[in-house]
Every structure is written in C-alpha cells, then in structure tokens.
Amino acid sequence: YRQGVPKDPRRLALCKLGNSLKKNCLTTDMAESLDYVYAFNPYYSYPNTEDSIRFMHHVNAQDYLLSFGAKCVVVEGIYAKDGQTAKLKEYNRGCQYFSVELEDYMYYRENLVNVYANKLIDEWEVLLLIDSHQVFSNQYWLLDTIWATAHYKSVQLFDNFVKLNDDNSTRAINRGSLSHYEKVKYPKGNAGNAWALEKEVWTNINYLPDKCITGLCDTCLAYAAVSSPAVPFEEDMFKWGANSSNDPYLLYSIVPWIRDAKKHLNGSQTYLKTTLYHFEHEHHFNWSSLGHAIDKCGYDADSLARDETLFLRLTSPC
C-alpha cells in the first residue's frame, strides 16, 4: 500500500514469515498489516485493586484494541516491596502479558513501552501508545493509523479531545496538539493520549522520550514532531526547563531529546480526523509532589541510569 504496487502473492507471503524477510513484503490492503500493529499498555497504580475505575477501563481497553485487530501488549508494573501482586495476568489471553517489579516512584509509562517494544522488536512494525481509558469516534481509526504512519513520521491519533465526567457528561473540549499547531503554529492542546510511530522512526529518534519522570513525555514528542531542523521552540523550552519549580529535571532530560529527534522527524507529522473521548478515572500518580521532591534533592543528567533492557532507575539515594 505504501507504493501502490499490485499485490503479488509471493511478496505477500513474506509478510507472514517474519524476521528479516518481512522487510521485503508488499501489501495493497492496510488490513493485511494488522498483525504488525502493536498497542503497548503499561499499568501501575496505587492501589492496584480490581475495584478501581482505572482498573476497569484498563481491562476494557484490552478488548477494545483486540476488536479492531491491534495486538495488545500489557505491561504490569508491580510494587512487590509494598505488598502488591499481579492483577492483570489472567484477564485477557488475547493480549501478550509481561510484569516487572518497580522500585522507584516515578512516571514509568513511556519507559515501560520502550523496554517491551525493544523486547518484541522483531514482531511489530507500528507502535501504538494509547491511554487505556479512551475510545475513538472514527471506527476506522486503526486502518487510518496504518496509512498515516506509512506516510508521516509521527502521528497523533485524534484532532479533537473530549474529557468526560464520571457520568459521561462533557467536562471539557480541546484540540489535539498537532491539530492546534496547524492553526496557530504552536502545539497547544492535548499533547498525549494517543500516538503512533513506525519501527524505523522509533529507532531513529532513540525510542520514545522517557526520561521525563514526572510526566510531560508526550509534550516533548509533540514539540519534536512539529519542529523543523531550525526549531522555533527550543529557546522557549530552555526557559521552561530553567524556570519551572515543578519540573526541574526538564532541562536535562527533555530538551536534549527534542534537539536530536527533530533531525529525524524533520517536521513530518499528521493527525487523524477523529474525536477522542477520555473517561474519568482515579489519579494515582502525584506529579507535583514528585516534582517538589526532585527539586529538594537536586537533579542532573546523572540522576537516571538505563540498563541493557532500556529500563530506567533513579540513582540518587535522596
């Protein structure tokens, strides 16, 4: 479908063989590529009990993804030292399941995606990062995503964002950051929630940004996506990192990644024409308290270490 070539059964067969041969396959139907679209869903929370709204949304999201043909990868982070046990392992056998014991109390979402995307590197071609408490208005969003990632280096999977209350009434309506950028040349709006990248892009940008340990990884991905080699926002980002008491890590972790990723993304970005509906849920992660703790302890480029699996750990005893 990328080059509009006629379907050749011999080339199509290569798509099913995997490994290095898969790179030579050709298809004309996006549905034929569904086997290589992987949605990575990290889950970790306090408490990690099965009676929370957040937990319900997460297990519902597994069925939702599978119903559209995406491969579902569940990564459950468990604080075993605090008595937590695995809760998601048996919920849906249609999803690949992994668990990891967590030691540090930081924002792990993108890091856990990177760790297990790297572990499954030979299996997927398109990576989906979608918060597990949302649904799309466009029922063809997954096929649209496959087409978009074949033509653009970074794809945000919505143009409008609707935040719902507990009773599913509308709390707020906003635009996606890339949709907003199209109008005002600045990536305001919702930066996170749903993104897609092809494997080659993910590799070239040195994985998803994941060193933003109090959140905002999705924000720096949005900045990098709209930035040409002459980034108009880098100066603002330095001010943001230098002056924000809540995010003192920012200057060390986010801006360097943006500076490098923009060279590969080169402004190649798009968004899908769909509304994303966000269900209300408990908030188990306290961004501001971690930000104040980092501010108190001090933070620099050596405060995080990455092991051979890409997993991040804090190195400061404070």
Side-chain angles (χ1 to χ4, degrees), residues 81-127:
K81 65 179 182 178
D82 297 331
Q84 288 190 357
T85 58
K87 301 293 185 182
L88 288 167
K89 186 172 184 179
E90 301 299 329
Y91 260 85
N92 199 323
R93 296 185 181 275
C95 298
Q96 294 193 54
Y97 174 86
F98 300 95
S99 65
V100 59
E101 288 194 15
L102 303 179
E103 294 290 333
D104 301 312
Y105 301 95
M106 65 184 192
Y107 195 63
Y108 274 109
R109 176 172 175 257
E110 283 82 3
N111 180 233
L112 292 180
V113 171
N114 284 333
V115 169
Y116 288 93
N118 188 53
K119 184 180 181 69
L120 301 172
I121 191 69
D122 291 330
E123 300 183 28
W124 63 272
E125 294 298 328
V126 176
L127 181 151

Side-chain angles (χ1 to χ4, degrees), residues 215-248:
L216 297 178
C217 287
D218 42 28
T219 299
C220 73
L221 180 56
Y223 271 91
V226 301
S227 299
S228 67
V231 176
F233 311 116
E234 191 168 25
E235 193 171 314
D236 289 334
M237 291 296 290
F238 272 111
K239 293 176 183 176
W240 183 18
N243 297 334
S244 172
S245 60
N246 288 334
D247 302 302

Side-chain angles (χ1 to χ4, degrees), residues 36-43 58 61-62 65 70-76 95-96 98 109-132 193 195 197 199 202 208:
Y36 310 108
V37 182
Y38 277 56
F40 291 85
N41 280 253
Y43 179 85
H58 192 90
Q62 297 176 20
L65 291 166
K71 299 290 186 181
C72 171
V73 180
V74 176
V75 181
E76 184 172 14
C95 298
Q96 294 193 54
F98 300 95
R109 176 172 175 257
E110 283 82 3
N111 180 233
L112 292 180
V113 171
N114 284 333
V115 169
Y116 288 93
N118 188 53
K119 184 180 181 69
L120 301 172
I121 191 69
D122 291 330
E123 300 183 28
W124 63 272
E125 294 298 328
V126 176
L127 181 151
L128 302 180
L129 179 58
I130 304 172
D131 287 356
S132 59
N193 303 96
W195 286 87
L197 303 169
K199 181 193 299 181
W202 179 80
L208 291 169

Side-chain angles (χ1 to χ4, degrees), residues 164-179:
L164 302 174
N165 290 311
D166 288 330
D167 61 357
N168 287 343
S169 60
T170 298
R171 176 187 299 182
I173 301 176
N174 206 346
R175 299 188 71 83
S177 57
L178 299 193
S179 172

